[in-house]
Amino acid sequence: MASSSRRRLCDQELLDVLEGSDSEEELVEESTDSEVPGDLSSESESSDGETEEPVSVARTWCELESPTQAPPPRFPFTGAPGQKIACDHSPLSYLELFLTDEVIRKIVEETNRYAAQQQEGASLPRFSRARKWEPVTCDDIWVFLGLIILQGVVGKPLQKWYWTTNKILSTPFFGSVMSEPRFTLIMKYLHFSNNDEFDEATHPAPKLKKIWEIYQLIVANFKAVYVPDRDITVDESLMAYKGRLSWVQFIASKRARFGVKSFMLCEAKTGYIWNSVIYTGKGTKFAPQYREFGCATSSVLTLIEPLLDQGYCLTTDNFYSSPELFEHLIQHKTDAYGTVRANRRNMPSAFTARKLKKGEVVAWQKGKMMALRWRDKRDVCILSTVHNSETARTTTRSRQEVEKPKAVLDYNKTMGSVDRADGAMSFYPAVRKQQRKYYKKIFRHLLEQCLWNSYVLYKQNSDSPVPHHDFIWKLTEAICVKHPPPESAARPGRRASYVVNPTRLSGRHFAEHLPPTALKQAPTRRCVVCCNKKGKDGKKIRKETRFYCPDCDVALCIIPCFKEYHTKEVF
């Protein structure tokens, strides 16, 4: 009898603490004083005056009978979100924040070294393309990367078709900036590490030795350029790959199904990729202080480690969520919520004992952590440190009003950032199926991530951002203007296409009247600058002009469009 009354007392004390916390600092102070966050010890005296053993409420899951109690307070957010390295707001300047001079110089150095190693002492056939190899420069690599980026917008099944002269398939721009043999040779010798310096015993990630240095540089730039907002997400991403690789993963829920898996941390609001870890099986490089945890917990703690103790709120799915992970996050003043598997270790013993009707909710509390089970079409299990069992009305896609737990609504709102980034990168991919070398394919995937992060920052800082596909081709155009290839690199007799003209910002340009045609003595054409602007009604402006630039072969108004077209990178 005494034990049952003592148990009711413990439950009531827990509810009193959760409801009576007037400040977030009070709960934080209690968390740090106990062995486990939210640990509350109570002592009860017996009738004869003797003190019984203390009972730890934080070690006990207590069922919540009413959703009226206040949810656990969030930890105060002390981060400083936003872009930390300034740039001039042009598309290329954002990409240069991630592909820095250090990254480009490293690629140039290792590519030239690898080409020399391959050709040293080799007897090349008489008509081999490799005989025409010339060491690459930083400008060559930039133009090479620009063409890879543009291939994501101009999709063709075979790479050589980008240089074809067939009028049905031709894309003159590619041949105007770099010849097909030169592009193929750079792709053949593209390299990112010195093979002679590799030591498997001391290398931090032997399975990623071919790409490790560049990967570390680019991910470090992701973290240095931008600090995410409070809500962040961790999920897995899969880069399609079916080659011979011991750590290729199969994930049935992903569209690619087979490929190289990465654990990624993204900002929930924008999908900015802030950190990632490539999974290579047992040799995966996690932070050494988390070796005692399993793969799921170690991956999350490795990704979020620089953001701990700042009040961030993490969203995870049932692969990562566990009481073990959430307790560690609470110790470091980090909130979290997400779906959880009902059979996880240390979940409430009676979590799945009762069969629920549709719409019914049951919940248990353990300190700051709540485990909730809600019956929809099937059971949905949620683990959270910032929610209670309260529900709210929402409208479904079929315009029906339904009751859902607030924890489920918040999870649906913040969980999809990694999938959003993957989806955006898949629309204009830099990765090609024909790429057999795994390290070159991973580099192309890193290039996609750099493009996506560049576009996220560009949208945040631009008053009138262009669509994603326009951003990509304008970025390629800016690369070809800033890093012009030598005259010998392009095929003679080729000029730029109508839309993309890499020479429009250089040289001398003069306006002329459009030449007469067989039907009109004074023909007109649409001004390309005006057609890219929007009027007060939000629709694109349609304006005709009689003037054009013969060198660029585009119609332009004399004032101010002629000047804008030849002086601004983005118009």
Side-chain angles (χ1 to χ4, degrees), residues 172-222:
F173 176 74
F174 287 85
S176 68
V177 295
M178 181 174 287
S179 66
E180 192 266 339
R182 178 65 170 168
F183 183 90
T184 304
L185 281 176
I186 295 178
M187 181 63 72
K188 177 180 180 179
Y189 293 124
L190 187 65
H191 219 67
F192 313 102
S193 63
N194 186 358
N195 294 338
D196 296 337
E197 296 180 354
F198 172 67
D199 185 1
E200 188 172 359
T202 59
H203 198 280
K207 293 182 179 180
L208 295 172
K209 60 182 182 294
K210 297 281 190 178
I211 192 67
W212 180 250
E213 296 179 53
I214 290 295
Y215 171 70
Q216 289 293 97
L217 287 174
I218 292 177
V219 172
N221 291 336
F222 288 167

Side-chain angles (χ1 to χ4, degrees), residues 21 58 122 135 139 197 212 227 249 252 273 293 311 323 337 342 354 361 397 405 427 433 441 470 515 518 536 545:
S21 297
D139 288 338
E197 296 180 354
W212 180 250
V227 175
Q249 297 290 299
I273 301 171
F293 298 109
Y337 57 86
R354 187 170 55 172
V361 176
R397 293 180 181 178
F427 292 149
K433 293 181 180 179
K441 200 156 190 175
D470 281 359
K536 295 181 180 180
T545 179

Side-chain angles (χ1 to χ4, degrees), residues 478-504:
I479 289 175
C480 294
V481 170
K482 186 173 182 179
H483 305 277
E487 295 296 331
S488 59
R491 289 185 181 180
R494 293 293 184 94
R495 68 179 181 87
S497 62
Y498 175 82
V499 178
V500 182
N501 181 6
T503 63
R504 69 181 175 89

Side-chain angles (χ1 to χ4, degrees), residues 362-557:
V362 291
W364 283 260
Q365 191 81 33
K366 180 182 178 182
K368 199 175 187 300
M369 192 164 36
M370 179 207 66
L372 176 144
R373 188 161 67 94
W374 169 61
R375 181 69 181 181
D376 192 28
K377 292 182 180 179
R378 56 185 177 84
D379 283 353
V380 178
C381 303
I382 296 286
L383 200 63
S384 174
T385 66
V386 295
H387 294 96
N388 58 7
S389 58
E390 185 178 359
T391 61
R393 297 195 69 83
T394 184
T395 304
T396 63
R397 293 180 181 178
S398 58
R399 298 182 181 179
Q400 294 180 348
E401 287 194 357
V402 295
E403 286 273 350
K404 290 186 178 181
K406 286 187 175 180
V408 174
L409 296 177
D410 288 344
Y411 173 83
N412 292 337
K413 187 184 301 182
T414 59
M415 184 57 206
S417 59
V418 175
D419 291 335
R420 186 193 317 161
D422 284 342
M425 290 186 290
S426 67
F427 292 149
Y428 314 106
V431 177
R432 294 187 68 84
K433 293 181 180 179
Q434 294 89 345
Q435 195 78 63
R436 296 182 180 179
K437 300 290 186 180
Y438 79 93
Y439 59 92
K440 293 181 183 180
K441 200 156 190 175
I442 291 177
F443 174 75
R444 282 175 173 256
H445 189 56
L446 289 173
L447 183 59
E448 289 177 347
Q449 295 179 6
C450 292
L451 284 172
W452 169 246
N453 283 350
S454 301
Y455 184 61
V456 169
L457 298 182
Y458 168 75
K459 282 201 304 182
Q460 281 189 342
N461 299 310
S462 178
D463 295 331
S464 55
V466 298
H468 195 187
H469 48 78
D470 281 359
F471 175 84
I472 292 177
W473 75 254
K474 290 177 186 293
L475 176 62
T476 304
E477 182 185 22
I479 289 175
C480 294
V481 170
K482 186 173 182 179
H483 305 277
E487 295 296 331
S488 59
R491 289 185 181 180
R494 293 293 184 94
R495 68 179 181 87
S497 62
Y498 175 82
V499 178
V500 182
N501 181 6
T503 63
R504 69 181 175 89
L505 302 181
S506 60
R508 302 178 65 188
H509 302 267
F510 301 94
E512 294 183 8
H513 284 286
L514 286 165
T517 64
L519 299 177
K520 291 184 178 181
Q521 284 294 322
T524 61
R525 282 164 53 182
R526 293 186 186 182
C527 173
V528 296
V529 175
C530 292
C531 290
N532 279 277
K533 295 180 180 179
K534 293 183 179 180
K536 295 181 180 180
D537 57 355
K539 297 181 180 180
K540 286 191 175 181
I541 300 173
R542 175 172 177 170
K543 190 174 181 181
E544 301 280 335
T545 179
R546 290 187 57 198
F547 296 92
Y548 85 120
C549 177
D551 295 330
C552 302
D553 192 23
V554 292
L556 297 161
C557 301

Side-chain angles (χ1 to χ4, degrees), residues 57-78:
V57 177
R59 292 290 185 183
T60 306
W61 284 103
C62 303
E63 185 173 358
L64 300 181
E65 298 180 356
S66 174
T68 57
Q69 71 173 75
R74 291 179 181 266
F75 291 111
F77 180 60
T78 59

Side-chain angles (χ1 to χ4, degrees), residues 261 263 279 281-282 284 286 290-302 319-320 324:
K261 183 171 75 172
F263 302 110
Y279 180 73
K282 293 184 178 180
T284 304
F286 293 129
Y290 305 123
R291 289 176 181 172
E292 70 273 14
F293 298 109
C295 175
T297 302
S298 297
S299 61
V300 173
L301 295 179
T302 300
F319 178 78
Y320 308 95
E324 175 188 57

